[in-house]
Amino acid sequence: MTRVCVVGCGAIGSLYAAHLARVQDVEVWAVDPWADHVAAIDDCGLRVTGREEFVAPVHARTSADDVPPCDLGIVATKAEHTRAAVAAAAHVFAAAAVASVQNGLGNEEVLAELVPRVIRGTILPAGVVTAPGVVRYDAPGDTWLGPFEPRPASAAEVARLSSILNSGGLRTHALADARGPQWDKVIFNSATSPLAALTGLPMGPLCSDPALRTEVEALVAEARAVCAALGITVSDIAGMVDEATVVAAGHKPSMLQDVLARRRTEVDVLNGGIAAQGRLAGVPTPRHDAMVALVHGLERSWEETS
Amino acid sequence: MTRVCVVGCGAIGSLYAAHLARVQDVEVWAVDPWADHVAAIDDCGLRVTGREEFVAPVHARTSADDVPPCDLGIVATKAEHTRAAVAAAAHVFAAAAVASVQNGLGNEEVLAELVPRVIRGTILPAGVVTAPGVVRYDAPGDTWLGPFEPRPASAAEVARLSSILNSGGLRTHALADARGPQWDKVIFNSATSPLAALTGLPMGPLCSDPALRTEVEALVAEARAVCAALGITVSDIAGMVDEATVVAAGHKPSMLQDVLARRRTEVDVLNGGIAAQGRLAGVPTPRHDAMVALVHGLERSWEETS
């Protein structure tokens, strides 16, 4: 029997917990501070609606103190909550390999300070928690897992988590170097999300505007230079942008959603993450720096009296 | 007797019309589409409050058709209205030298297509129309006038307008080359206003944020490179920014005021004007291009359904 603990049971954590819990000989625990969601999951199971319809048996707790030691972990909190949430689960992960499925760069570095072995994860599925105990599965997408190099999980652990996710219905790839898919997603998000956040434009109008598309391309080019210096191979980001412009024309990137709700954004792990890696690699990233400065300025304006 | 026509009688046009009309042997005409303001001025005189208190005799009309030929002109419309407003006053300016006191770059180029001789003007005073016929004079500041090189007013005409403004109480400098003061103001505005517009921050919090100040400096540096290529000498913009950070800490630049009111901004004659001159000079201006793209994107978002 494999025991897995999911830390952070918002939309992504819930989707992953539910799919894992469909697999035979896998016991799934979930930790989240939202008491109503936790109680509904623990009492009635975690219900998935939308693209799939099923109920999965998940043990949910508001405190990691009530979770037994696990073999594998998945961290799905917002980046800013990683350290506190995982530190509180130290005994759960004392002998575990733990994957981050969070947005951006830098999450694995935090995990590496807190757990024995780390898995670099990148995911594309999307959904939303529609009621306590219920997550709507909106968009499918692959998952990529690989060892986090400075404190790596073993290839067997990466393969095991990958195998369980595939059995549960989430197509997952176990890689020796998972940096490429991670940077694909980070670059795509960093080149589009802050522009959406600053202008208020959804993906279609944003990326089909020639002047803004020039900015998208310039942000991509800067990030590619960082990847080149780090030996990371990235995909055809321009093609991803072209596709999103058409198939997700009305989509408001999460950073725009955060701005509209006046929530702190994830710019620090997106453009800020690229800029930090650029500094390590000796590659200047003035355009990503500008995005960080502008988005932080916008966040700060909410605190100003006017 | 010298006859002067002021086109566009908002705050700036009103301040200049009123000060001109205090001078002996000067007859001032004003044209503006706002009928209540025009009627109040024409019936009761143009009243100045605030830093000075006086009423000046100004002939005001809603149509330039009702204005006699003039010797001098001052154009004080928003940049987007220049062409239509001045074209409608062609007969007024058939033999005139006409000054732009508008924001940004490119206004004189439009005047040069429509009037015989053009004066390049840059101004610092500020105020606001508080009621029909009443303008509050908030902030003093110098005025610089010089011939617009491709279609220049004579030195005598520049000196005459300068002399009248000085007599009326607005300190004015007649220069052989007035590009320096114009670019000082344009660079200062272009390096701060769009950042304020995009973040919502007033001058103090904006310019005292180290990351945003880096962006300010980068925008200044790009514009300085354009000036260097064009042989224009600019002042200590960083010092102007330092001063504004302290003495105008709560000030919301006009581009931010436009954004808050969801009005079209003047980014095209500010950052867009610098970028256009950069193209002519063969100097790239990627950061000013980015500001134009982002601010236009923000303007466009107001038209999007959400």
Side-chain angles (χ1 to χ4, degrees), chain A residues 108-132:
Chain A
E108 288 89 353
E109 281 79 353
V110 176
L111 292 188
E113 298 175 30
L114 301 166
V115 304
R117 293 178 305 286
V118 179
I119 297 174
R120 186 190 290 281
T122 299
I123 65 158
L124 295 183
V128 61
V129 174
T130 54

Side-chain angles (χ1 to χ4, degrees), chain A residues 197-258:
Chain A
L198 292 166
T199 61
L201 291 172
M203 284 298 287
L206 177 72
C207 297
S208 56
D209 176 291
L212 286 167
R213 181 66 191 247
T214 299
E215 296 307 310
V216 171
E217 299 301 338
L219 287 162
V220 170
E222 230 177 57
R224 275 189 182 280
V226 175
C227 286
L230 295 173
I232 298 167
T233 306
V234 289
S235 303
D236 172 24
I237 312 283
M240 292 166 63
V241 174
D242 286 339
E243 188 185 345
T245 306
V246 176
V247 306
H251 176 64
K252 293 179 176 168
S254 68
M255 205 185 293
L256 172 53
Q257 293 182 37
D258 288 340

Side-chain angles (χ1 to χ4, degrees), chain B residues 118-132:
Chain B
V118 179
I119 297 174
R120 185 191 291 281
T122 298
I123 66 157
L124 294 184
V128 62
V129 174
T130 55

